[in-house]
Amino acid sequence: MQFLQELWLPIVVSGVAVFILSALAWTALPHHRTEWRRLDGEDAVLDALRASGVTPGLYTFPYAMGPKELGQPEIAAKFNRGPVGYITVGRTGVRGMGPMMLQSLAFYWVVALFVAYIASHTLAADAEYLAVFRVVGTLGLMAFAFASVPESIWFGRPWRSFLLQCADALVYSLVMAGIFGWLW
């Protein structure tokens, strides 16, 4: 836990900085605005979901439990007929931004904590700015970008969306690396 005593300031500052950048990326900058689209016939789809009694959770359609069901002709026909998709259903009602923003800030602090832990075991206490920048930047990029790859591989998240997330992640990791290098 020695690293916490030595690196608490870059952990806190970089977590806050990345939180602010993330908020700006999603609220003020235009690059994420085209990721999400409205369903044609949204009202009919929502009425059908309500009528089905859907509860918060993760759903896939057409639904097939394992390879055995996937091999059944009627299931294969549903997949071929389409659409094929995944839905996340949240709680009913307007969600307040406060709790989600706090969770987001906590996430960035946890990433910074783990980055600090690895960096403190990788770098000397008197490491030069550029060495700190390289290690922290690489770790930050891995944490902010790579975790979402399986969403595109397995759950159909468009690769364009992943690339936009990578652009954000690159900025986040460079800022984190700069702060750690400065405060190391």
Side-chain angles (χ1 to χ4, degrees), residues 7 9 18 26 30 38 57 70 88-89 112 135 145 150 164 171 174 183:
L7 297 174
L9 187 58
V18 172
W26 283 95
R38 180 182 308 272
L70 281 171
T88 302
V89 176
V135 170
L164 290 173
V171 172
L174 292 174
L183 296 173

Side-chain angles (χ1 to χ4, degrees), residues 36 39 45-61 85-93 95 100:
W36 300 88
L39 280 171
V45 171
L46 294 177
D47 288 341
L49 286 170
R50 276 186 219 99
S52 76
V54 69
T55 58
L58 301 173
Y59 297 88
T60 181
F61 57 89
Y86 308 90
I87 296 176
T88 302
V89 176
R91 294 183 321 269
T92 300
R95 295 175 13 173
M100 291 186 292

